Amino acid sequence: MIEITSTNIARAIEKARQTKPFVKVIAFRHYQVINKVTGANYTVKFSKINNRKFAECDCKATVVCYHIGASIGAHIVLAEQMHTAPA
Ligand SMILES: [Zn+2]
């Protein structure tokens, strides 16, 4: 699990904008990110511990990757719909 900070998530969102992967909601805080070109897909999960935000992705990256960046947009929308703070 990697802690999300405003710096590392901004970088990941920027990379996701360039890559434009497809994000599928599996469950709240649980997403599948699919690369439309290669068909590769990865699972991203978010969690919140003591008001700190964490994410994990099953790709090889050890930083906040663009899969997490792509998922967080869907995640924020869902979290707002559920009247909870974004994880
Ligand atoms: Zn990833």
Side-chain angles (χ1 to χ4, degrees):
M1 257 190 332
I2 309 157
E3 184 167 5
I4 294 175
T5 66
S6 52
T7 312
N8 65 19
I9 198 64
R11 215 173 291 144
I13 289 169
E14 187 51 43
K15 197 163 179 215
R17 279 202 187 109
Q18 293 161 16
T19 317
K20 297 185 177 68
F22 179 72
V23 180
K24 187 176 161 188
V25 179
I26 296 170
F28 183 57
R29 294 181 172 171
H30 190 177
Y31 303 90
Q32 189 175 33
V33 181
I34 302 151
N35 183 313
K36 286 181 276 193
V37 179
T38 66
N41 69 86
Y42 300 97
T43 304
V44 175
K45 289 179 189 171
F46 293 103
S47 43
K48 200 173 186 182
I49 303 161
N50 294 331
N51 256 344
R52 289 161 68 190
K53 298 162 191 173
F54 294 89
E56 59 180 301
C57 176
D58 61 3
C59 75
K60 279 185 268 178
T62 52
V63 295
V64 175
C65 59
Y66 77 89
H67 308 115
I68 293 170
S71 309
I72 198 130
H75 180 64
I76 289 166
V77 171
L78 261 184
E80 281 172 356
Q81 283 170 356
M82 295 176 81
H83 303 288
T84 56

